[in-house]
Amino acid sequence: MLSARNIAALGFMTFAMYLGAGNLIFPPFLGLQAGEHFISGMAGFLLTGVGLPALALVMVALVNGSDNLTAALPKPVAIGFWVMVFIVIGPAFVIPRAITVAYQFSFAPFVGEAALLPFTVVFCLAAIVFALYPGKLVDTLGKWLTPMLVVILSVLAVTAFMSPAGETLAAVGPYQDKAFAEGLTQGYMTMDALGSIGFGWIIFRAIREMGVECPKATAKYTLMAAVMYAVAMALVYLSLAYIGSTSASLGSAFGNGGEILTAFTLTHFGTLGSVLLGVVMILACSTTAIGVTTAGSEFYSRTFQPVTYSRSVWVTMIVAGLVANLGLDQLLAITLPVVVALHPVAIALLVVAPLRRRLATPAVMAAVIAALAFGSVDALHILGKMPAEMDHWLAQYLPLYNDYAGWVVPSLVVVAIGVVASRATRPVLAVQS
């Protein structure tokens, strides 16, 4: 039985791993665009941006660990999937972006780009120090870094509600007549469900490090962490979106949520506001970098015997630091389509997980292939690479294509066919055996 303090720390740790720079930057811009339709837009956003990742953690708990999500797949396929996941949410995408975003909002306003390299060295070394002691991750994130982050975010939230920067603006773009649907789409595009299946490795290990061995108890505490994450993240999203929706007096030419937050903190706190925002960004990016590094290193050390956990931590952060300084833009152009395509596969595995005993391996593979194929179609659509004629045809005939979720219906159909086919062949298999 875990104490209330340890449960709270576990929840804080989970929340901190999700709260990256993108999670802070996006909601203010959504609030700005949604305007008077703030409530309906955020309702849709929270449903997929928070509900989907939380549901992913629930499914991880029900199958007793992230590694069991791919248990029905052939081993080479399962290993290949996890390697791709931890590469893109680690040194090839998430961590380099975290480094550069943290720098842009902390030191860049004062010294320009000149100090990116020394900042990267310090950032990576700090992340390595914390990641090298995964058994203390709950203490590091849940009892120290996250409370600091929550206090600063609370200051911003209270300031926003007590002294809004202006009146609520009029909705623009799709938020004018379909705010809820647009919120759903944008919440899905956070792609935090992909992070959920990776963070499941850490959460299960953290619970075991606390002395909990019973699978049912482990699942229970994972569910509790998921609920705590969902509540905390929803409050953060709502507060930041409210800042955006009441930013009329801050300016009108904002290109992203980061610019809104910068203007807000400068207006209310002056130069101290820039420092405050920089601290928030560094903490948020650090906790995410530590989380994905720990998750990936845990996987590599368990899967590839010659690879040690500590060596994986060092390699991950060194590669991420090099990418952040030498070729982030080029690599993002390559890895973003992979992230977009992997996300449907991850969700398909979450859907299939409770049906493992009803699905034969070929049926599971078919569901994964369908999700990957149509997820790749969505990736081309999101990146604007789909040929015009094909784009027009898919928009007419593929459900949810315009919402960047064209993979959903085909994948569900394949899963349904797989359930029926597996049920039909099971008696035959039983007789043969």
Side-chain angles (χ1 to χ4, degrees), residues 280-292:
V280 168
M281 289 298 180
I282 290 176
L283 286 174
C285 292
S286 297
T287 55
T288 299
I290 294 167
V292 296

Side-chain angles (χ1 to χ4, degrees), residues 47-103:
L47 189 61
T48 49
V50 176
L52 190 58
L55 179 62
L57 280 183
V58 170
M59 296 309 302
V60 167
L62 293 179
V63 300
N64 199 33
S66 292
D67 49 344
N68 287 326
L69 290 174
T70 54
L73 297 177
K75 189 173 182 179
V77 175
I79 292 176
F81 168 76
W82 285 113
V83 168
M84 290 298 297
V85 166
F86 287 119
I87 287 176
V88 298
I89 71 170
F93 187 83
V94 171
I95 302 176
R97 186 178 64 174
I99 294 170
T100 55
V101 170
Y103 180 76

